[in-house]
């Protein structure tokens, strides 16, 4: 490691990069998370040695020993953010916030902190070399997936002494197929995703593993996503397991559950709060009881609801379904305030609107 928390990256261009015409064909309709660029970043860590061997190299399978710790004890964290190409260059949205959150997740999972500058540099390097991989479709972007796992070969239970940090990139279109269609949520009564003292506020794969059975249940009930309740009372809304939740009252007030340690502190959530307050709206962070959501949606006090996260940006919630029956926001269509916030956020992200908060980071 050189001074100032920086690393020198060795650049190894891919001799078998995808041909231009083939790449263009892939970028016409990339979907989400199916197509990947030509390169990846890898950086290794060993106890006593620190971070070393920073590389940008051809994207390839990683060969790991069957006794690698992550395969057994799931010591793993990740991040997700998007880079955008517009008329005058390439940008990322709030990558410093992802860098910070990565170190917070690492601390919770007893993993070493990757210096935030190294995290940012790794994204720049990958975008630079894979700059031809931006989809040119209107909603397209380059989704960046930094992650880190325990790479030590050891079956004993303790924090590993070796780690691999990597970044891959995936050209993406819209997350949910079709145009901003409101989603139907399933209220999971049996399963929770995070408990006080647990790992809900860390962006770790284990949280997702724990949530998949509820997602299956949701699909069996005709729903798109799960809304998780708090693990203690099974009454207060936590989040969607990959997106945070807001409800919108008839006076324009936005309410979202407070960061209680079980909720992932979304960067989109934080951006929405800032944008809504700038527009003169009241934003209240307080617990939302499911019974209250139901009765206030029925009475018309709650007019809109939406989920937010990097992948799908802002997605209107149409109907909430549980064993107790369904309830719907307004007429079930996308809410006006929801869609206005979505537009404001997307316009800043894509460089079409002014960025008074310094959220947009220039890459190229
Ligand atoms: C990543 C994630 C979110 C959304 O966070 P953003 O920073 O807005 O993308 C919400 N909940 C969970 C569990 C997540 O992993």
């Amino acid at each position: 490691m050189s001074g100032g928390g920086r690393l020198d990256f060795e650049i190894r261009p891919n001799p078998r990069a995808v041909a231009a015409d083939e790449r263009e064909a892939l970028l016409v309709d990339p979907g989400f998370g199916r197509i990947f660029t030509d390169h990846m970043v890898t950086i290794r860590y060993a106890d006593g040695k620190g971070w070393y061997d920073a590389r940008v190299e051809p994207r390839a399978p990683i060969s790991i020993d069957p006794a690698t710790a992550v395969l057994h004890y799931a010591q793993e964290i990740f991040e997700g953010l998007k880079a955008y190409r517009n008329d005058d260059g390439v940008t990322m949205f709030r990558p410093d916030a992802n860098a910070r959150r990565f170190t917070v997740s690492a601390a919770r999972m007893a993993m070493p902190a990757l210096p935030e500058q190294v995290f940012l540099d790794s994204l720049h390097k990958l975008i630079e070399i894979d700059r031809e991989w931006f989809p040119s479709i209107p909603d397209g972007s380059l989704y960046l997936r930094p992650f880190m796992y325990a790479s030590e070969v050891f079956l004993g239970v303790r924090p590993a002494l070796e780690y691999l940090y990597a970044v891959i990139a995936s050209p993406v279109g819209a997350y949910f197929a079709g145009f901003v269609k409101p989603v139907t949520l399933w209220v999971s009564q049996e399963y929770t995703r995070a408990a006080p003292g647990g790992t809900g506020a860390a962006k770790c794969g284990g949280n997702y593993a724990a949530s998949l059975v509820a997602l299956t249940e949701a699909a069996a009930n005709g729903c798109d996503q799960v809304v998780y309740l708090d693990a203690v009372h099974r009454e207060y809304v936590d989040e969607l397991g990959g997106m945070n939740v807001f409800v919108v009252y008839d006076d324009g007030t936005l309410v979202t559950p407070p960061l209680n340690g079980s909720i992932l502190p979304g960067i989109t959530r934080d951006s929405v709060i800032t944008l809504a307050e700038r527009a003169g709206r009241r934003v209240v962070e307080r617990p939302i009881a499911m019974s209250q959501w139901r009765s206030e949606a029925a009475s018309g006090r709650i007019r809109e609801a939406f989920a937010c996260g990097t992948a799908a940006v802002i997605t209107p919630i149409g109907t909430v379904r549980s064993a107790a029956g369904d309830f719907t926001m307004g007429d079930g269509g996308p809410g006006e305030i929801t869609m206005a916030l979505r537009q404001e956020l997307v316009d800043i992200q894509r460089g079409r609107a002014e960025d008074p908060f310094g959220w947009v980071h220039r890459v190229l």
Side-chain angles (χ1 to χ4, degrees):
M1 162 115 36
S2 52
R6 291 195 107 107
L7 283 178
D8 291 325
F9 287 75
E10 183 189 339
I11 313 285
R12 299 183 179 175
N14 191 338
R16 282 189 295 277
V18 174
D21 55 340
E22 200 183 322
R23 185 181 63 232
E24 290 311 317
L26 289 169
L27 292 176
V28 171
D29 180 21
F32 186 90
R34 290 187 294 112
I35 292 165
F36 301 96
T37 63
D38 292 314
H39 298 88
M40 64 183 185
V41 166
T42 57
I43 311 178
R44 297 192 170 270
Y45 178 92
D47 194 53
K49 183 170 179 180
W51 294 98
Y52 67 100
D53 258 9
R55 287 183 195 161
V56 179
E57 60 191 340
R59 186 177 180 283
I62 297 172
S63 168
I64 55 176
D65 188 280
T68 301
V70 66
L71 297 180
H72 303 272
Y73 309 127
Q75 201 188 3
E76 187 268 356
I77 58 171
F78 67 96
E79 270 302 327
L81 72 162
K82 284 176 173 171
Y84 306 88
R85 188 173 65 193
N86 57 40
D87 294 339
D88 40 48
V90 172
T91 62
M92 286 188 280
F93 185 71
R94 305 188 68 180
D96 49 326
N98 295 92
R100 207 170 312 125
R101 188 168 66 190
F102 199 64
T103 64
V104 173
S105 296
R108 176 61 184 83
M109 304 302 284
M111 299 166 94
L114 181 73
E116 291 176 18
Q117 191 58 53
V118 175
F119 180 96
L120 295 173
D121 287 349
S122 72
L123 303 179
H124 277 250
K125 299 281 181 204
L126 188 58
I127 293 170
E128 216 174 314
I129 200 164
D130 282 333
R131 62 169 73 192
E132 300 303 330
W133 280 95
F134 282 83
S136 39
I137 51 173
D139 279 330
S141 58
L142 191 63
Y143 182 79
L144 303 165
R145 170 53 65 89
F147 61 102
M148 185 199 333
Y149 65 82
S151 57
E152 187 188 4
V153 178
F154 181 55
L155 291 184
V157 177
R158 57 149 170 74
L161 299 177
E162 292 166 23
Y163 296 87
L164 182 79
Y165 166 79
V167 192
I168 53 174
S170 174
V172 297
Y175 185 77
F176 293 115
F179 192 67
V180 203
K181 195 166 125 294
V183 289
T184 299
L185 301 186
W186 174 250
V187 184
S188 178
Q189 291 293 348
E190 188 176 356
Y191 306 108
T192 57
R193 79 170 268 287
T199 57
K203 208 167 175 74
C204 64
N207 290 340
Y208 282 75
S211 74
L212 297 177
V213 67
L215 197 56
T216 305
E217 190 184 77
N221 285 280
C223 297
D224 307 293
Q225 292 284 315
V226 178
V227 53
Y228 292 93
L229 302 178
D230 78 283
V232 176
H233 308 92
R234 306 283 181 111
E235 170 63 2
Y236 298 97
V237 173
D238 265 353
E239 60 160 304
L240 258 55
M243 283 185 277
N244 297 111
V245 181
F246 284 79
V247 297
V248 186
Y249 279 80
D250 53 0
D251 67 354
T253 299
L254 275 74
V255 178
T256 192
L259 300 176
N260 58 8
S262 300
I263 294 175
L264 197 288
I267 295 160
T268 318
R269 174 188 183 277
D270 184 74
S271 307
V272 164
I273 291 172
T274 302
L275 284 178
E277 285 177 342
R278 179 185 67 162
R281 297 191 188 287
R282 212 158 70 88
V283 182
V284 183
E285 295 178 64
R286 65 158 166 79
I288 301 171
M290 189 47 81
S291 56
Q292 187 184 16
W293 191 359
R294 177 186 298 277
S295 65
E296 294 190 328
S299 75
R301 277 213 66 210
I302 292 177
R303 284 257 179 88
E304 308 179 15
F306 62 86
C308 65
T310 294
V313 195
I314 289 179
T315 301
I317 296 167
T319 297
V320 179
R321 178 169 298 163
S322 69
D326 290 10
F327 62 93
T328 297
M329 283 4 92
D331 62 4
E336 214 174 286
I337 293 171
T338 299
M339 295 310 283
L341 280 166
R342 181 188 162 92
Q343 195 62 49
E344 281 170 46
L345 183 55
V346 168
D347 283 347
I348 294 176
Q349 288 172 335
R350 295 192 173 272
R352 294 190 296 245
E354 224 197 302
D355 168 31
F357 312 107
W359 286 342
V360 174
H361 281 230
R362 182 94 187 205
V363 183
L364 295 170

